[in-house]
Amino acid sequence: MTQALDEIKIGGMGASRKRVEDSRFIRGKGNYTDDIHLPGMLHMEILRSPLAHARITKIDASRAWDIPGVHLVLTGDMMATRNLAWMPTLSYDTQAVLATDKVRFQGQEVACVIADDPYIAKDACEAIDVEYEPLPVVVSPQAAAAEDAPVIRDDKENQDGNLIYNWEVGDAEGTDRAFEEADLVSRLQLHYPRSHPSPIECCGSIADFNRSTSKLTVYMTTQAPHIIRAAVALVAELPEHMIRIISPDIGGGFGNKVPIYPGYVCSILASILLERPVKWIEDKTGNLISTGFARDVYLDGELALRRDGKILGMRMRTLADHGAFFADAQPSKFKIGLMHSTFGCYDVPVAHLAARGMYTNKAPGGVAYRCSFRVTEAMFFQERMMHAAANDLGMDQAEFRRINLVRDEQFPHRTPFGFLLDSGQYKACLDLGLKAVGYEDFLRQKEEARKKGRLLGIGISTMSEPLGAGNSREYDILGIKMFDSAELRVHMTGKALLRTGARGQGQGHETTWGQIVAHELGIPADDVTVEEGDTDTAPFGMGTYASRSTPVAGAAIAMVCRKVRAKARKLAAHLLEVSEEDIEWELGRFYVRSAPDRGVTIQECAMAAYSNMPDGLEPGLENNAYYDPPNLTWPFACYIVTVEVDPETGVWDVLNMVAVDDCGVRINPMIVEGQIMGGLTEAYAMSNMQFITFDADGNCIGANYMDYMLPTAWETPGFELHGEIVTPSPHHPIGAKGVGECAAVGGPAAFVNAVMDAIAGTGVRNIDMPLLPDRVWEAITERHDVSGAPPVRSDG
Ligand code: CDP
């Protein structure tokens, strides 16, 4: 208890310390890419394709070159002379930087203009004459798989269809046997629709090539600056030590700022050619139609069930729409990301997953929007399937989950797909959620209401999410192993500078990283400056996505602190004139075991490191650590939603939402709650309002915020959060698991299950998201499933 109180005093572990970065953010003093102005800077705009699939027969930029203030017009042919018309993607594919032969999606980059200001550049883009010869358009993976489908990627040798991968995992024969033995087979098919991460700040870069030093500095909106540095070095063949990537403040990433976009590459080339800084800031529509989309997967699966509710086996097939380029990042070994983490929290003896990915005439998809490489789709399908299966069995939703959840004594638990779940108390979390929502009472209320024609429903979603890629044995991107790093310098006065290879985008790293230092070294968090995002100063790291910061970079911070503490112990022994073995540690202080009153603080040790070190000991108090996690961390979440559906209109309102999250040890409970609330808000938006689709000509419908709704506090229901259950990760140095994405991953199924429960009497099995009122109303009145996002014609 005393230790916990001492921690709170110095802003250590468990303190709800106020976010230090907010002091600049809420005063408008953040320093985002667009805030940076360099002397002599020029501005770049991109000309995008209006068509989804067309051959380019001519590009004439002469009118654009003639506009006063234009310095450069880049086209695909010019890029090709420098071998830069195409670039490698993070998934071993290639992507057009500027189109040469064809355009393959609406919004694709065709040319760029660099001018004195962005308005001249925009006008000049409109003066570029491009002639297109339209080609047949493919907007669904099913159509892409048809025998006579046009080949979208005819630029690739040996690509005679639109298939990107055909990948499988698990035990097909064993799964077949489980299905033969089943009393009942429950099946569900659904579509997780395309969605967009939509960070408030769009993408952008300022490239600044200095010919006299040969140094290229790029300020950019990237979640993974070191990966970008490696990519620039390899693609542009520039020496790595002459490239400096700086991610200044980032206005939200959500996976959208992981891929490498053509705008970055073009601004770099333009700066090299013009020897002046070149700024590119994407507009909202550009961001919405051309940057990495998420989801767009068709899921089809079955559960083999015993009559008493035990799951005997699981089978799943996925068909993913990746758009024109397979450009999102995922571990090299796993073609569909971590889709095979599905059903991990249930004790399923045998399973098989077959996944296919297709090219279509859409912008690149598959981005892990607030999710760990496709786990959102995996968990959504899992929980929708659990809901359907419980109904097929005629079992209570909670009881069906309780029977199948992995039991406490089964940890570490190996799933049939090979994952090792580290720890958890799944049933306790479910029971806490049920108690908080008043489960039994609500079921009674629901029955009473039904007699009066009112439709109440309850939806449960329980899941465990794999967070914190690597380990390096299994996880790499383009061969670069997934680990992370931290570097700590303790100054003479006991203040400190911490740098990590992660890069926050609003998650509060500057706050929580200081808390880990406070916990490990007793240096008050306020005395620790945290820096991230500059490849010239930060140690190498794989970046921040997939909620990997706390599991990997957070662990590296704890480890570097321990190295520093080990050296401080030597200094303490010297100051106290005893041997190291006689020294004990308590928060912020070393003392003599036999005389606890005789002690020195960590600050006194720091001073001694520069002014009074023993003979033979290197001066200074600093170190670095690279952390290669032995396993992923597996937080658990239980989300329960109650709703009322209006049978006359299909409008549904959330009555209550309870969230129980066990993310291991919470560094900062307030920040964790903020992360969960943000994730639940996004989950709510995905389930009921966000709809971005494509018409038969490949026009992106919903590419503005009038149509694609971002929820505000007005639409968002209240959430009741519970963090009482804490199961530390046994392999993480401070027992923390990731949390940033859990609610966005597990939340959508709870909302959808609740609505499906409310309309259970109709016999409808599935409505695909978003559950817009007209779709729910159609299901109620027509008594059929409402599936997919059918292509609509732009001509009405
Ligand atoms: O990788 P990302 O930062 O997006 O996700 P995360 O590691 O789950 O962390 C999100 C935020 O929650 C960070 O500020 C973490 O330090 C904080 N957090 C925490 O305080 N306790 C945990 N057990 C997990 C995360």
Side-chain angles (χ1 to χ4, degrees):
M1 183 55 95
T2 326
Q3 153 105 12
L5 287 176
D6 287 347
E7 292 245 16
I8 303 293
K9 270 190 222 148
I10 60 167
M13 193 67 65
S16 281
R17 181 180 183 225
K18 284 197 179 148
R19 288 166 41 105
V20 290
E21 43 275 88
D22 284 355
S23 143
R24 66 177 189 279
F25 291 157
I26 60 176
R27 289 188 171 95
K29 298 288 183 196
N31 187 35
Y32 300 92
T33 300
D34 201 16
D35 292 325
I36 296 167
H37 299 275
L38 299 180
M41 190 170 76
L42 299 171
H43 298 263
M44 185 181 99
E45 289 288 326
I46 295 176
L47 175 69
R48 298 182 181 281
S49 166
L51 300 177
H53 199 195
R55 197 160 299 288
I56 297 174
T57 52
K58 193 175 122 194
I59 300 182
D60 179 359
S62 50
R63 287 197 303 129
W65 277 104
D66 287 346
I67 294 177
V70 168
H71 292 256
L72 181 67
V73 183
L74 287 175
T75 59
D77 285 347
M78 290 172 69
M79 301 297 282
T81 60
R82 290 167 177 85
N83 206 17
L84 283 175
W86 291 83
M87 63 180 178
T89 71
L90 297 174
S91 283
Y92 289 102
D93 194 6
T94 48
Q95 174 172 3
V97 178
L98 294 179
T100 46
D101 52 340
K102 289 203 305 190
V103 287
R104 293 173 169 84
F105 67 89
Q106 186 188 52
Q108 188 180 336
E109 299 79 0
V110 175
C112 293
V113 175
I114 294 89
D116 283 334
D117 68 44
Y119 309 101
I120 298 173
K122 194 103 192 154
D123 286 347
C125 279
E126 284 169 19
I128 300 173
D129 298 310
V130 186
E131 282 176 17
Y132 297 102
E133 186 184 293
L135 294 167
V137 175
V138 177
V139 288
S140 75
Q142 292 85 354
E147 287 231 326
D148 57 350
V151 179
I152 296 165
R153 294 299 305 277
D154 48 357
D155 56 289
K156 295 179 77 171
E157 269 178 43
N158 306 326
Q159 180 78 38
D160 48 12
N162 293 313
L163 183 74
I164 306 174
Y165 57 80
N166 204 345
W167 186 78
E168 62 177 308
V169 61
D171 175 358
E173 285 172 19
T175 307
D176 287 348
R177 282 196 296 279
F179 275 81
E180 280 158 24
E181 284 159 22
D183 296 327
L184 184 83
V185 172
S186 183
R187 182 167 182 202
L188 188 70
Q189 287 174 286
L190 57 83
H191 178 220
Y192 200 123
R194 207 160 242 249
S195 66
H196 198 277
S198 307
I200 296 289
E201 180 203 29
C202 298
C203 295
S205 54
I206 304 169
D208 182 14
F209 180 66
N210 184 332
R211 175 75 60 201
S212 63
T213 58
S214 297
K215 182 125 187 174
L216 171 70
T217 304
V218 190
Y219 302 84
M220 65 194 293
T221 53
T222 177
Q223 296 174 228
H226 284 96
I227 300 191
I228 297 280
R229 185 181 66 182
V232 173
L234 298 172
V235 175
E237 293 180 2
L238 293 171
E240 205 170 348
H241 66 297
M242 286 294 160
I243 306 167
R244 180 179 187 187
I245 306 293
I246 303 174
S247 290
D249 286 331
I250 298 182
F254 306 108
N256 189 238
K257 291 170 180 165
V258 175
I260 301 167
Y261 293 118
Y264 299 152
V265 181
C266 292
S267 65
I268 290 172
L269 179 65
S271 177
I272 292 172
L273 293 176
L274 297 168
E275 297 185 23
R276 286 175 68 172
V278 174
K279 179 191 261 192
W280 164 63
I281 299 293
E282 187 182 54
D283 60 22
K284 277 282 169 209
T285 303
N287 183 265
L288 263 174
I289 66 171
S290 73
T291 59
F293 280 84
R295 332 294 190 222
D296 213 348
V297 184
Y298 292 82
L299 301 126
D300 176 1
E302 293 154 295
L303 284 181
L305 299 160
R306 215 163 58 193
R307 181 61 56 202
D308 63 2
K310 175 84 185 87
I311 300 172
L312 302 177
M314 193 282 298
R315 203 188 264 144
M316 195 163 149
R317 291 163 289 272
T318 67
L319 182 61
D321 182 335
H322 286 276
F325 307 108
F326 186 26
D328 53 308
Q330 48 225 323
S332 303
K333 260 176 83 172
F334 306 125
K335 291 292 172 215
I336 187 86
L338 302 187
M339 184 73 86
H340 55 308
S341 59
T342 189
F343 286 89
C345 67
Y346 299 112
D347 183 13
V348 178
V350 64
H352 182 250
L353 166 75
R356 280 191 306 153
M358 307 300 295
Y359 291 120
T360 61
N361 290 120
K362 296 180 185 169
V367 153
Y369 166 20
R370 204 166 185 166
C371 118
S372 233
F373 312 113
R374 295 283 192 184
V375 295
T376 307
E377 295 94 311
M379 299 312 162
F380 182 73
F381 185 78
Q382 166 195 303
E383 286 311 296
R384 289 288 298 117
M385 182 78 251
M386 289 298 285
H387 183 90
N391 286 347
D392 290 344
L393 283 162
M395 273 186 88
D396 173 74
Q397 289 289 339
E399 186 55 21
F400 179 51
R401 284 172 173 78
R402 195 178 285 113
I403 288 174
N404 287 292
L405 281 171
V406 174
R407 298 187 305 279
D408 298 3
E409 65 277 13
Q410 286 177 291
F411 290 103
H413 174 71
R414 180 77 64 187
T415 77
F417 292 129
F419 290 107
L420 191 68
L421 274 63
D422 56 354
S423 63
Q425 303 174 61
Y426 296 175
K427 282 181 205 161
C429 290
L430 174 64
D431 289 340
L432 176 60
L434 294 171
K435 186 161 171 249
V437 84
Y439 189 63
E440 300 299 336
D441 267 0
F442 187 81
L443 292 186
R444 276 191 291 277
Q445 270 179 45
K446 191 175 87 168
E447 287 319 309
E448 286 303 310
R450 188 144 302 186
K451 289 179 200 150
K452 296 179 192 142
R454 287 175 58 206
L455 301 180
L456 302 192
I458 187 158
I460 303 177
S461 173
T462 44
M463 60 112 213
S464 183
E465 192 192 355
L467 294 180
N471 57 74
S472 68
R473 292 183 313 283
E474 286 183 297
Y475 295 90
D476 72 87
I477 291 182
L478 294 180
I480 309 171
K481 304 285 187 188
M482 300 191 80
F483 52 81
D484 247 291
S485 58
E487 181 192 287
L488 181 68
R489 285 187 198 165
V490 183
H491 309 308
M492 185 183 306
T493 55
K495 316 292 180 198
L497 170 65
L498 176 80
R499 290 172 167 147
T500 82
R503 192 0 157 188
Q505 312 117 42
Q507 300 95 325
H509 290 181
E510 288 168 52
T511 309
T512 49
W513 292 170
Q515 294 186 243
I516 299 177
V517 177
H519 170 69
E520 292 290 336
L521 287 177
I523 295 175
D526 285 346
D527 289 351
V528 184
T529 300
V530 174
E531 275 184 16
E532 292 181 334
D534 181 341
T535 56
D536 263 13
T537 55
F540 185 91
M542 288 298 274
T544 291
Y545 42 87
S547 282
R548 56 189 301 281
S549 304
T550 303
V552 196
I557 297 166
M559 299 314 273
V560 75
C561 288
R562 289 175 194 184
K563 286 185 181 177
V564 165
R565 197 166 73 202
K567 180 159 182 192
R569 176 184 289 273
K570 293 188 194 305
L571 291 157
H574 169 67
L575 293 175
L576 294 166
E577 296 175 337
V578 292
S579 83
E580 249 191 88
E581 291 70 48
D582 296 332
I583 297 275
E584 291 288 339
W585 166 256
E586 63 183 4
L587 191 68
R589 179 177 178 268
F590 293 101
Y591 61 90
V592 180
R593 187 177 304 119
S594 54
D597 290 348
R598 286 190 59 218
V600 284
T601 63
I602 187 78
Q603 289 79 6
E604 287 167 311
C605 294
M607 181 58 80
Y610 299 88
S611 60
N612 178 16
M613 53 280 186
D615 286 346
L617 189 71
E618 215 180 316
L621 192 56
E622 61 185 63
N623 218 317
N624 58 33
Y626 281 80
Y627 187 77
D628 184 359
N631 188 5
L632 301 160
T633 65
W634 293 82
F636 183 77
C638 168
Y639 303 122
I640 308 181
V641 175
T642 57
V643 297
E644 174 155 13
V645 177
D646 180 351
E648 303 293 325
T649 61
V651 170
W652 52 279
D653 289 316
V654 174
L655 304 174
N656 194 3
M657 164 132 212
V658 166
V660 180
D661 279 271
D662 176 3
C663 59
V665 174
R666 294 183 176 203
I667 304 163
N668 182 321
M670 181 194 68
I671 286 189
V672 168
E673 292 199 349
Q675 293 285 310
I676 295 167
M677 287 203 186
L680 290 177
T681 304
E682 286 180 296
Y684 176 65
M686 285 177 223
S687 67
N688 101 346
M689 59 177 76
Q690 290 184 333
F691 204 23
I692 197 159
T693 185
F694 293 78
D695 70 12
D697 300 321
N699 295 309
C700 184
I701 309 291
N704 62 71
Y705 290 121
M706 293 292 284
D707 295 331
Y708 191 68
M709 307 287 281
L710 292 192
T712 66
W714 177 255
E715 293 86 16
T716 308
F719 309 123
E720 181 184 320
L721 307 188
H722 290 267
E724 298 90 319
I725 297 175
V726 174
T727 318
S729 169
H731 59 79
H732 189 281
I734 54 170
K737 302 181 179 185
V739 76
E741 303 162 352
C742 295
V745 169
F751 291 106
V752 177
N753 285 345
V755 175
M756 296 312 298
D757 185 50
I759 65 163
T762 58
V764 173
R765 203 165 172 78
N766 183 50
I767 307 175
D768 278 339
M769 292 193 293
L771 272 62
L772 300 166
D774 58 331
R775 289 158 79 85
V776 176
W777 185 79
E778 181 183 333
I780 296 172
T781 52
E782 308 285 324
R783 294 181 173 254
H784 62 203
D785 286 13
V786 182
S787 309
V792 283
R793 287 209 68 87
S794 49
D795 58 12

